[in-house]
Amino acid sequence: MQGLDAALLARILTRALRRGGDFADVFFEHRLVQTFRLEEGRIREASSSVVRGVGVRLVVGERAGFAYSDNLDENSLLRAAEAASLIARDGRAAGSVADLGAQPAPALYEPHPDEPADSARYVELLARADVAARGFDPHVASVNAFITDELQHVQIATSDGRIVTDRRPLVTLGVQVVAKDGGRRENGYVGDGGRTAIDVYEGRTPESIARESARIATVKLDARDAPAGEMPVVIGPGGGGVLLHEAVGHGLEADFNRTGTSLYSGRVGERVASELVTIYDDGDLLGERGTVAVDDEGTPGSHKVLVEAGILQGYMQDRLNARLMGVASTGSGRRESFRVLPQPRMCNTYMPSGTSTPQEIVGSIERGLYATSFSGGQVEISKGDFVFMIAEGYLIENGRITAPVRGATLVGNGPRAMEKVTMVGNDARLANRSYTCGKGGQRVPVGVGIPTVKLASCTVGGTAR
Amino acid sequence: MNDVRDEALALADETIALMRAAGASDAEATVSVVDRFSCEARGGELTKLQRSRGRTLSVRAFVGTRRAAFSTTDASRDGVAELARRVVAAAAFVGEDPHAGLPDAFADDGVCDHDLFTVAPDVAERDDEEKIAEALGMERTIREADDRITNSQASRVGDAIASWALANTRGFRGVSQGTTVSRSSAPIARDGDRKRIGNYGTAARGWATAEAAQAVALHAVHRALALCGARKPATMRVPVIFERDVAAAVIADVFSALNAANVATGNSWLADRIGARIGSERVTIVDDGRLRGGLGTSPFDAEGTPTRETVVFEGGELRTYLSDVYWGRRLGIASTGNAAGGGVGANNLFLVPGNGTLDDLVANTERGVLVLDTIGFATEHASGVYSRGARGIYIEDGVPMYPIDEFTISSTLPEMLAGIDAVAGDLRFDGTIVSPSFRVAEMTVSGS
């Protein structure tokens, strides 16, 4: 079953609005995920998961009442609606539900079959990754790989009269490699996929993903301890886009701005970055991880200009916050599952190309750090301080990329780091499709991207003495 | 409540029968049912109210020595039968694995006759309106506490009653129940033209034993204000004191290296180190699955193995890893009763406390840094490299001098454990991985 019938949806919405309220919505979800895991050259486990249920929400001003049910019988669903209605506490007249009309979501995903593929196909992809990683270098000590193939059906009914459905595929193949040299161990991880079917691995082969992961792990065996202190930092294209996600993106989510808790609150139209900085968040890029044909509130995913030539243009909005701020939702209302409330979230966040060549950028630095990719990033919203670990990084010496470093962390403050962007490369690209963002305990798939970018200075946390 | 447990056990029993019918040679089913309430207030408004019951069925199946698993929120007979068919079919593509399988035998029938105080009766009894009033009260407290507190990211109050049942085809049948309550607040202080957020939360098995709402709110305010006026420190190598919440996060990183799954796959800096002296003599780390009223306490783990007290580090020496049945077989050790959610988890893992307070640690530090908060998650578990963004207080001559931020602390976990030269006595069991405050003799502080 891929949804509830319109008459039942109307009864649930009517119940949710019975104590009054501004709007109600019902979120139905059915998600099937098929996973295979490989370790030590063998497929160790096959697993499936089904997430199926309904979340009911009532919104009154800035207040949200919420309940979910994994039981789809009418009594359970009406009980959830009743629980959600309790947020309306001032005894107003019942709200009304408009006639529900169905709307299809636009097509923004690559084709995906209704059922998972033959198990043999997943197993073959993993086996190829394993062989490629082991064959890469004799120091490769262990290889773990997984593949997940997911298909999520959602149906969103809103009290203003819409029923929207979406069918979202998502595949990921990830390879983790541990390389060992004497007592020293280093790891590498690379994943890729997207909102598509596993046919994507015919072009982006498991071998290429595995070799990339093995390369990172083995390079780090020769890495020296990272330097500590302030220095110029070059962000590599693609994966370096995590910088934008953490340093700027979260601070532009509407909830933090509507409540005045973000450092970007009330600053639309102001300069928040160097004039070289433009940042977009797109929900409508074909096949990307963060793409949503419609978000989890039924609003189409869209192209948003967050920052243009250093000037803050707007925030990422969900329905509740957009309504209170007097603007339209930008299609940014996303949720991990039917068991939690939607929040304003990023989709695919990136910086378009500038004019410098990557060689000019690296060549301009006498001593600094080159960060290819990041892991474990986090930002503190109110002040804008961010941190992330450099998963792969190198020293820059006399205008050239030289020795690999390990254990480097970048720490800084969002607007101040963005003010220090002094060169932007002509090589913008989106990163591998493997990023997941956490906020308030909810994880959703996202995309990031960036060209080669120079930060004139940033604090590097290293261990070199 | 017994109804919930009985129903859960009946579903688990039915499911293993279905798995057998679908072709599994062995199977294990876990049914968890959670009744959850949460509310959130901001300023004078109740902003969120949630109440739901969720049920999840998780199954592990074995076809000979081939392993398959599924989980679902759709526990209808058709839904379960369909998944059973699917995973048994997929298992044919899984490699033979001699270590895979259910636990061999059970020392305990799992149906607990010993009360571990995991259920506090006041959770089921307390009225939702009281909890709502409490969240609103915390918002008032933070705003009245100091003129600089002008906003917040809300105060939250919530509770949950979790019931679960486990059955397997080797005859294990067990049920258990636990309650949890939580309170948290996130005030925002004005610091010139900047904003400083303070986050503090607590959890316990019941309302009577949880830190009071007022105390939680004031602690959060203290955290927001403590960092007002912070500046960036110079780059230096100095002693670093971890306040107990950030200390607990370090112990959580150590747990990743103790996790038998990571050890067996080489993704742990503690691999091949049993018997080695890793930490200083002050490092004794214990996982106690039977701690009375502990948030990670349970009579048996996710595979039905009875929980126990395991000394992991004793006086700095690594004694054992923490394991479930499978990874234990891979490493040649017995399960320590740490199976959780399809992998290995901590029960109640803690660094054994010393004496004195956090203030004593500060007073005994000539020059150093007290870390109150860290950001970032990245630890390289294969190498043990540790690095975090941090905020805290700069110390000179045993005196807290001024708040500092925008710096990182870095080292490696083995160097940090070896460098723990003082441990305070301020341990509290308000999580499943906890620690008293401690000091590491030397770390790199990277600032300007």
Side-chain angles (χ1 to χ4, degrees):
Chain A
M1 180 165 53
Q2 295 172 12
L4 305 175
D5 73 62
L8 175 57
L9 288 167
R11 289 196 292 277
I12 298 168
L13 291 167
T14 302
R15 178 65 67 92
L17 279 158
R18 80 184 191 93
R19 292 180 166 84
D22 298 323
F23 70 88
D25 55 14
V26 177
F27 177 82
F28 167 92
E29 172 181 26
H30 181 280
R31 181 199 306 243
L32 173 65
V33 186
Q34 179 70 45
T35 304
F36 285 88
R37 290 183 187 282
L38 174 144
E39 185 238 326
E40 275 196 346
R42 279 187 283 189
I43 302 294
R44 294 281 177 180
E45 187 174 82
S47 61
S48 302
S49 82
V50 169
V51 173
R52 190 202 65 168
V54 172
V56 185
R57 173 175 68 155
L58 177 74
V59 173
V60 191
E62 65 168 330
R63 298 181 284 163
F66 178 70
Y68 62 80
S69 174
D70 38 42
N71 194 331
L72 300 188
D73 73 60
E74 179 155 355
N75 280 341
S76 302
L77 296 171
L78 291 178
R79 209 161 37 237
E82 180 74 24
S85 79
L86 292 173
I87 193 75
R89 299 166 73 79
D90 28 20
R92 281 193 273 170
S96 64
V97 177
D99 285 341
L100 298 175
Q103 295 173 3
L108 284 177
Y109 317 123
E110 305 282 0
H112 187 285
D114 285 327
E115 281 286 307
D118 285 345
S119 296
R121 289 191 63 197
Y122 303 105
V123 169
E124 189 225 332
L125 291 168
L126 291 179
R128 284 167 54 194
D130 183 58
V131 168
R134 284 177 191 287
F136 182 82
D137 189 290
H139 292 105
V140 169
S142 80
V143 179
N144 281 280
F146 71 89
I147 186 165
T148 66
D149 186 352
E150 165 180 332
L151 188 61
Q152 181 196 30
H153 291 275
V154 300
Q155 177 196 43
I156 301 121
T158 65
S159 57
D160 54 4
R162 288 175 300 144
I163 299 178
V164 185
T165 56
D166 195 11
R167 180 182 176 280
R168 302 172 182 155
L170 186 67
V171 298
T172 312
L173 189 157
V175 182
Q176 186 193 46
V177 172
V178 176
K180 202 173 161 192
D181 189 5
R184 185 160 172 177
R185 295 168 202 273
E186 296 290 347
N187 63 11
Y189 172 78
V190 175
D192 210 351
R195 293 208 179 271
T196 176
I198 58 169
D199 307 331
V200 71
Y201 300 114
E202 284 165 22
R204 175 53 153 146
T205 63
E207 286 85 357
S208 66
I209 294 169
R211 284 190 202 113
E212 181 68 5
S213 180
R215 187 190 61 75
I216 293 169
T218 48
V219 158
K220 280 158 61 177
L221 287 176
D222 299 322
R224 58 179 85 166
D225 289 344
E230 285 194 61
M231 64 192 75
V233 172
V234 175
I235 309 296
V242 173
L243 175 78
L244 305 176
H245 179 102
E246 298 296 349
V248 184
H250 279 296
L252 299 181
E253 291 166 340
D255 46 354
F256 301 126
N257 288 284
R258 197 258 308 164
T259 56
T261 57
S262 166
L263 78 164
Y264 293 108
S265 303
R267 297 188 62 192
V268 170
E270 289 181 28
R271 189 180 153 102
V272 295
S274 130
E275 63 185 17
L276 297 175
V277 173
T278 291
I279 304 172
Y280 301 140
D281 183 78
D282 286 5
D284 55 358
L285 300 175
L286 181 68
E288 292 297 326
R289 254 176 95 78
T291 296
V292 284
V294 293
D295 70 3
D296 296 319
E297 300 180 306
T299 309
S302 68
H303 169 71
K304 289 147 294 226
V305 180
L306 303 178
V307 175
E308 180 134 54
I311 308 295
L312 179 60
Q313 302 294 323
Y315 305 118
M316 289 167 278
Q317 299 281 355
D318 64 345
R319 288 191 73 195
L320 181 149
N321 289 290
R323 201 170 172 279
L324 294 165
M325 293 176 85
V327 297
S329 167
T330 57
S332 305
R334 303 183 65 191
R335 63 204 302 174
E336 182 179 284
S337 81
F338 72 92
R339 285 183 169 175
V340 285
L341 279 164
Q343 301 172 308
R345 301 295 293 262
M346 284 174 262
C347 293
N348 304 297
T349 313
Y350 65 98
M351 182 186 292
S353 280
T355 55
S356 303
T357 66
Q359 295 74 20
E360 284 166 357
I361 293 173
V362 173
S364 72
I365 293 170
E366 201 169 308
R367 182 179 166 276
L369 197 74
Y370 186 94
T372 308
S373 63
F374 298 111
S375 63
Q378 195 180 357
V379 66
E380 188 276 293
I381 292 296
S382 295
K383 187 163 165 286
D385 292 350
F386 63 79
V387 65
F388 24 66
M389 182 167 262
I390 298 176
E392 183 185 0
Y394 299 85
L395 292 178
I396 300 175
E397 294 167 304
N398 302 315
R400 291 181 48 230
I401 295 172
T402 59
V405 295
R406 66 168 197 167
T409 305
L410 278 192
V411 59
N413 178 268
R416 269 182 281 151
M418 287 298 113
E419 201 50 59
K420 288 180 179 158
V421 171
T422 53
M423 296 176 91
V424 175
N426 57 8
D427 55 346
R429 63 177 180 82
L430 292 166
N432 285 347
R433 294 159 168 182
S434 72
Y435 290 86
T436 298
C437 168
K439 173 179 172 183
Q442 295 192 41
R443 292 162 61 78
V444 298
V446 295
V448 297
I450 199 167
T452 302
V453 162
K454 177 180 174 181
L455 302 180
S457 84
C458 191
T459 299
V460 176
T463 50
R465 301 179 188 190
Chain B
M1 268 311 137
N2 282 332
D3 298 354
V4 178
R5 282 177 283 185
D6 292 344
E7 266 176 44
L9 189 57
L11 175 58
D13 279 335
E14 267 174 53
T15 303
I16 57 174
L18 267 174
M19 297 307 300
R20 278 243 206 244
S25 46
D26 258 326
E28 167 196 278
T30 306
V31 177
S32 74
V33 180
V34 184
D35 285 290
R36 206 181 289 280
F37 168 85
S38 70
C39 66
E40 178 183 302
R42 202 175 143 264
E45 284 261 47
L46 172 71
T47 47
K48 274 182 199 156
L49 186 61
Q50 307 190 16
R51 176 171 278 293
S52 294
R53 165 176 287 195
R55 183 170 68 168
T56 305
L57 167 66
S58 308
V59 174
R60 292 197 304 153
F62 301 90
V63 181
T65 59
R66 301 174 199 274
R67 184 168 69 172
F70 73 78
S71 74
T72 181
T73 64
D74 169 15
S76 65
R77 203 182 163 83
D78 287 353
V80 174
E82 162 63 18
L83 275 171
R85 189 196 57 74
R86 191 186 290 279
V87 298
V88 169
F93 294 87
V94 175
E96 297 265 358
D97 185 343
H99 302 299
L102 294 174
D104 296 320
F106 297 97
D108 186 325
D109 68 359
V111 182
C112 59
D113 48 9
H114 22 241
D115 193 350
L116 298 175
F117 295 86
T118 56
V119 175
D122 61 359
V123 176
E125 288 159 9
R126 194 165 188 220
D127 190 64
D128 289 350
E129 290 300 324
E130 262 183 60
K131 302 168 213 167
I132 292 168
E134 201 171 270
L136 289 163
M138 288 166 81
E139 285 291 294
R140 273 195 306 279
T141 300
I142 59 174
R143 281 165 174 75
E144 285 164 6
D146 195 285
D147 288 346
R148 287 169 288 177
I149 306 291
T150 53
N151 199 351
S152 79
Q153 274 187 3
S155 295
R156 299 180 175 87
V157 177
D159 60 28
I161 302 174
S163 310
W164 57 291
L166 174 66
N168 72 26
T169 49
R170 302 284 175 96
F172 180 90
R173 295 171 83 243
V175 291
S176 181
Q177 199 165 57
T179 53
T180 51
V181 306
S182 62
R183 296 179 167 119
S184 67
S185 187
I188 294 175
R190 277 258 154 232
D191 178 16
D193 59 353
R194 293 186 184 171
K195 298 166 187 170
R196 300 264 175 197
I197 189 160
N199 267 304
Y200 182 69
T202 193
R205 284 293 187 184
W207 296 109
T209 51
E211 192 175 352
Q214 176 93 353
V216 169
L218 292 175
H219 198 118
V221 167
H222 172 74
R223 285 198 173 174
L225 297 179
L227 291 167
C228 283
R231 55 183 109 158
K232 192 170 195 156
T235 298
M236 56 190 160
R237 280 188 68 84
V238 289
V240 172
I241 298 169
F242 291 80
E243 184 268 348
R244 63 183 179 85
D245 279 2
V246 285
V250 173
I251 302 302
D253 271 326
V254 173
F255 168 72
S256 291
L258 291 167
N259 179 330
N262 291 335
V263 173
T265 55
N267 197 23
S268 164
W269 56 273
L270 285 172
D272 308 321
R273 301 302 307 275
I274 293 291
R277 178 76 185 260
I278 309 274
S280 76
E281 61 186 12
R282 290 182 173 77
V283 176
T284 295
I285 297 178
V286 174
D287 181 66
D288 186 357
R290 304 187 86 78
L291 180 81
R292 284 172 127 220
L295 285 163
T297 298
S298 171
F300 51 89
D301 74 0
E303 295 177 306
T305 303
T307 52
R308 61 178 211 184
E309 183 185 38
T310 306
V311 178
V312 186
F313 279 96
E314 189 164 12
E317 190 181 311
L318 178 62
R319 293 274 184 226
T320 184
Y321 304 118
L322 293 174
S323 189
D324 61 359
V325 167
Y326 175 77
W327 293 106
R329 285 175 185 157
R330 289 275 297 267
L331 290 174
I333 63 174
S335 170
T336 51
N338 286 90
V344 180
N347 292 324
N348 296 292
L349 183 71
F350 59 97
L351 175 68
V352 170
N355 294 309
T357 63
L358 177 62
D359 289 345
D360 294 338
L361 288 184
V362 171
N364 294 322
T365 301
E366 205 173 303
R367 176 170 179 257
V369 167
L370 165 63
V371 175
L372 297 172
D373 190 14
T374 59
I375 56 173
F377 306 103
T379 300
E380 303 230 345
H381 295 296
S383 62
V385 168
Y386 173 94
S387 183
R388 289 285 185 285
R391 286 171 280 195
I393 310 285
Y394 177 66
I395 302 163
E396 229 171 61
D397 297 326
V399 177
M401 300 297 286
Y402 49 82
I404 50 178
D405 67 357
E406 284 186 51
F407 63 97
T408 66
I409 49 171
S410 45
S411 182
T412 66
L413 287 166
E415 282 174 357
M416 287 164 72
L417 289 188
I420 292 181
D421 63 357
V423 179
D426 57 353
L427 179 68
R428 266 198 229 178
F429 289 97
D430 55 357
T432 57
I433 300 181
V434 291
S435 176
S437 304
F438 60 72
R439 182 178 63 197
V440 174
E442 193 179 62
M443 291 182 74
T444 302
V445 171
S446 309
S448 51

